[in-house]
Amino acid sequence: MSTIEFNQMLVKNADFLKPFAITLTRDSEAAKDLFQETLYRALANKDKYNVGTNIKAWLYTIMRNIFINNYRRKVKQNVIFDSTPNDFLIDQSQAVTINGAEGTLRLKDIQAAVHNLPEIFRNPFLLYFDGFKYHEIAEMLDEPLGTIKSRIHFARKLLKTQIHRF
C-alpha cells in the first residue's frame, strides 16, 4: 500500500476517533490531544499496518493504548496542586532535616542492644550484618545452616523488642 493510499484511508476513517477520545478522556482539550497523538502514531507506524486489516480497530487500539499509558504515567506522578491563588506545584517528597544528635543517640542504643545479645545469637547476627551469606556463616562457625538461620532470626526478634520503644 502506498503512502498516499494509507493517508487517504486514515483521513476517511479518522472522524470516528473524536467521539471515542471524548468518551475516554471526558475533556474536550485532552480529547483533541489524544486524537492528534493517535493520528501521529498511526502515521509513524504505517509500516506496521497490515493491508486488509480493519483500520478502525487498528486506530481504536492505538488510541486506547495511548490513553492507558498516559493514565499510568499521570498516576505515578505525585504532584499536588496547591489551592493558593498562584497555583504553585508542590512536590510531596520534601526534604526533612534530621537532628544529628538524636541519630547518634539512637545509633548508640542500637549498638548497645546488639552487644547485649547473648553470644550465641550475637556472633551469627554480626557476621550476617557484615554481609556474609548464611552458608558462609555456617561454615565459619561450624554449625548447621538451619541453626544459623534460626539464631539470626531470634537475634532480630530480640533486637526488635529491645529497640521497639524508638
Side-chain angles (χ1 to χ4, degrees):
M1 172 179 285
S2 71
T3 304
I4 295 172
E5 291 173 342
F6 180 80
N7 291 346
Q8 288 173 348
M9 189 170 55
L10 188 65
V11 169
K12 190 180 350 174
N13 291 298
D15 288 336
F16 74 92
L17 285 174
K18 291 177 184 177
F20 184 56
I22 291 173
T23 303
L24 288 174
T25 61
R26 292 184 168 82
D27 178 25
S28 63
E29 290 301 315
K32 288 177 186 176
D33 291 341
L34 182 61
F35 176 74
Q36 288 179 354
E37 181 70 19
T38 302
L39 292 181
Y40 170 75
R41 294 256 178 101
L43 287 171
N45 294 305
K46 67 182 171 196
D47 55 319
K48 295 180 182 175
Y49 175 74
N50 295 327
V51 178
T53 305
N54 184 354
I55 190 148
K56 287 183 179 182
W58 189 66
L59 292 171
Y60 268 133
T61 303
I62 292 171
M63 181 174 278
R64 183 179 48 87
N65 290 341
I66 292 170
F67 175 75
I68 290 170
N69 290 339
N70 289 343
Y71 177 79
R72 287 179 181 159
R73 190 176 302 120
K74 200 180 296 183
V75 167
K76 286 184 181 180
Q77 292 176 344
N78 289 329
V79 178
I80 299 173
F81 286 100
D82 190 5
S83 60
T84 59
N86 294 331
D87 290 332
F88 292 106
L89 293 177
I90 300 174
D91 189 6
Q92 277 186 331
S93 59
Q94 296 176 356
V96 177
T97 306
I98 298 174
N99 184 349
E102 186 178 315
T104 304
L105 289 174
R106 286 185 185 168
L107 184 61
K108 287 181 181 178
D109 288 340
I110 292 170
Q111 288 172 343
V114 168
H115 288 292
N116 287 335
L117 285 173
E119 186 176 341
I120 197 166
F121 298 130
R122 182 176 58 234
N123 291 341
F125 179 79
L126 287 174
L127 289 171
Y128 182 76
F129 186 74
D130 286 338
F132 291 100
K133 305 288 184 207
Y134 288 124
H135 64 86
E136 295 171 336
I137 299 168
E139 289 174 10
M140 283 194 261
L141 299 177
D142 196 31
E143 295 282 346
L145 181 64
T147 303
I148 296 300
K149 287 181 177 181
S150 65
R151 287 181 183 171
I152 292 171
H153 169 75
F154 286 120
R156 286 181 182 158
K157 202 171 183 179
L158 286 171
L159 287 173
K160 188 175 180 181
T161 58
Q162 291 176 7
I163 301 175
H164 188 317
R165 59 192 156 113
F166 300 112

